[in-house]
Amino acid sequence: MTRVPGLLAPLLGLGLGLGLGLILSSLGAGAADCRSFGRAERLVFAPAARVRWLAPRDRPPGPLNPLYGTVRRFLSVVQFNPFPAELVKTLLNEPSSVKVDEVVRYEAGYVVCAVIAGLYLLLVPIAGLCFCCCRCRRRCGGRVKTEHKAMACERGTLMAFLLLTTLVLLIGVVCAFVTNQRMHEQMAPGVEAVPETLLSLRGLVSDVPQELQAVAQQFSLPQKRVLEELDGVGKSIGSTIYTQLKSTVYEVLTSVNSLGQALQLSMDHLQALNATLVELREGQRDLEPAVRERREHLLTLLQEPACRDCTEAQSRARALELGADFDQVSPVDDVLHRLKGVPEANFSSMVQEENSTFNALPLLAALQTANVVKELKKVIAQKPEGLRTLAEEFPGWEAASRWSQALEEVEQSSRPYLKEVQRYEKYRWILGCVLCSAVLLVVVCNLLGLNLGIWGLAAREDPGHSEAKGEAGARFLMMGVGFSFLLAAPLILLVFATFLVGGNVQTLVCRSWESRELYKFADTPGNLPPSMNLSQLLGLKKNISILLAYQQCKEGAALWSVLQLNDSYDLEKHLNISQYTTKLQQELQNLKIDMKNLDLLSPAAHRDLEALQSSGLENIHYSTFLDQIQKPVVNTNVEKLAQELEGLARTQGSSVLGQQLQEEAQGLKNLYQEKVLPQQSLVANLNLTVRALASSAPNLQTETSRVLDNVTYLKGQLPTWATSILRNESECFLTREMGYFSQYVAWVREEVTQHIATCQPLSRALDNGRVILCDMIADPWNAFWFCLAWCTFFLIPSIIFAVKTSKYFRPIWKRLRDVCWLLGDA
């Protein structure tokens, strides 16, 4: 207890220094990271775009891709001429002036293929007729007349070539079946995609206002979130102020409480010192006559001649007098007078009350900011002007009705044609399946003929074995030859018809579409007739070409940047909510928190400390007290002197003198017990009190001045610090709430430019059209005729090898004569 005041000063200085440092650092940190509020949470908005979004079409990689690549390379060789811009221009604008030689010159590769197909169509049937005539006269496809050494080699070579040719035919007919089925399967989805695409393009502009309205309505989502967070903003800011200031406030209140305890302890010591000093002085006035009387009696007895060995006792008796003189110390009445009534305040209760007031700061802040929060909610409840007119000010499109009407007419007029396309595709598929099956029949005849022929050859060494198997094999080969001649004409006609259509679609349309030459052709003035002015029909801006519009739409450009709208539409103007946020920021500036109820030091406590500061407690001459305290109450040890007198009393020869010495010894003992011992006890108490005051008084004044200065400074700075924290937290709160609105603005920008008012469906429709026409229909179409042409032309070597091989499967003439001769002899 006595050492607490001595350690108070450095602890107070250290605590306040740390507290102030924490305040400043917390203010800086709060402004930097806004840890109390954090970042805005992620909002989830519902997509506003309707289901008119065209999904991208693409042909997945498959085993037929190498075949498609081969066909394209073949067509590039057949049609090596570039896109005929002039020829197409003349054909579109003046069809009657188209020159045949120009068409033939451009279609030179197809003309050559037509000549080859014509020769095939002419020569193969003629060859078939000739073969039939020769066969009827038994001059073709007969028997081998004689055996010779090279016959086995010739027969094996022919069988190998026939088998190889048959396998090539089998591969070709399987690929033809697959591509025929693939084209048939993809034709229906491709045809159905046309009205779907047209319907999507019709809603490209007409649905925009409704979707923009739906986007604007979702502003309620960040509004609702901000209104929810406004309910607790006052308490949250108050909690932040409390958190950042509590260490400093608690340090100051702790120092005040400690100083109050030190003040009370010093007052107790001072009052005890004064009371003890009064008692010591009174006891000293009572003790002095008694000691003087005892000294005189003792000296009288000890100086008698009859007193034996009394010299030493005589010297002790002469020293029997008072040692400490407390009348010489300065009184403390003036200090006590200045500290009269101190402590007036109950420092412990006061600090507890101030702690309670400070702990209620979050609730106090919520109450004080309630009106401002109410005004803030009114501001938040209002929708920004730009968002209110987001859908209303979307400009009309003069070509929108014409666009929609034209697409509707195209959709309605295309449906009968699309149905016809599907119907004719069904006929084509059936015809393709029939012809492929016929080619497959030729393959089956060849394989059966080879198997039976080889079986017959294996059994020919047995003279008694029949030649029926070899003959059957030869007949199957000849059946395959007959089917081949019959299929030649329909096959070559179907091949050339599909080749002419599919080849031109690939080389004239798909190749130029993929290289974007078609867009360049359409952009060139005069290439298209006035009725087919695509830029006007699409409503493109005057300075934007079709190719540029396609490229911009593919990159996700907005409608108003590509199409010719009545007025310019500035989306950013509608998404500018700066005025809205400025109003919100202005209302946040009105947030205030009053901390006047936090006194830290009551007026009574302030008077107590000021009285202590001016009391002069440190000016008391504690050294004078200590000087007197160090002196004995009586210079001679009264107890020891009494014991010595008792010893002398026993050694005296005179009983009377011994009795008197014994009485004096008893009188000294009574004096010691009644007067000296109480004085010594009071001196001991005075010693503790004086030393406690002497050690605490010098620092207590400094501590009092420091606490008063700190309390005054902190009380003056608390409103400033609270205001600074309040401004920082207001900015953090504004940043967090603006995060919700920023999310909304970013979502609206993305939703409008990439999903609602984007012209990407235009480019997507063109890309999907190219994929459907070229990748999903033209590629399998061309692969089908390519495989069928493969089979058609390989029928010629199949016929030759089948006819040649069949001779070796029939019985040999020489062998037949030998058999007949043996039968005749028998």
Side-chain angles (χ1 to χ4, degrees), residues 365-429:
L367 294 175
Q368 291 181 356
T369 57
N371 293 331
V372 178
V373 169
K374 186 177 180 180
E375 295 299 324
L376 282 170
K377 287 185 175 181
K378 291 181 181 179
V379 175
I380 295 297
Q382 300 174 2
K383 183 181 291 187
E385 182 66 25
L387 290 177
R388 286 203 298 267
T389 60
L390 180 66
E392 299 172 2
E393 293 188 2
F394 188 79
W397 185 26
E398 292 181 352
S401 59
R402 185 170 68 252
W403 168 288
S404 180
Q405 183 178 0
L407 289 176
E408 185 178 4
E409 292 177 357
V410 172
E411 179 188 355
Q412 296 298 329
S413 60
S414 65
R415 290 186 181 275
Y417 294 104
L418 295 176
K419 291 182 180 179
E420 290 297 317
V421 168
Q422 289 182 317
R423 185 165 66 90
Y424 283 113
E425 163 58 23
K426 184 177 181 180
Y427 296 154
R428 185 211 60 78
W429 175 74

Side-chain angles (χ1 to χ4, degrees), residues 294-353:
R294 288 295 171 190
R295 185 180 69 241
E296 290 176 357
H297 288 171
L298 276 175
L299 288 175
T300 302
L301 289 175
L302 293 174
Q303 287 176 358
E304 290 183 4
C307 187
R308 297 178 183 176
D309 300 326
C310 295
T311 306
E312 187 176 352
Q314 221 173 36
S315 63
R316 292 183 184 275
R318 287 191 184 94
L320 189 63
E321 59 183 8
L322 296 181
D325 186 4
F326 291 99
D327 289 331
Q328 296 181 7
V329 298
S330 302
V332 294
D333 296 338
D334 293 341
V335 178
L336 282 173
H337 180 73
R338 295 189 190 100
L339 292 175
K340 185 179 181 180
V342 175
E344 180 184 354
N346 188 336
F347 279 81
S348 179
S349 299
M350 180 200 69
V351 169
Q352 186 176 0
E353 182 180 352

Side-chain angles (χ1 to χ4, degrees), residues 219 384 387 572-582 738 741-742 745:
F219 183 73
L387 290 177
E572 296 303 324
K573 182 188 72 173
H574 294 278
L575 297 182
N576 185 6
I577 59 173
S578 59
Q579 294 181 351
Y580 180 77
T581 57
T582 300
M738 287 303 101
F741 295 120
S742 298
V745 169

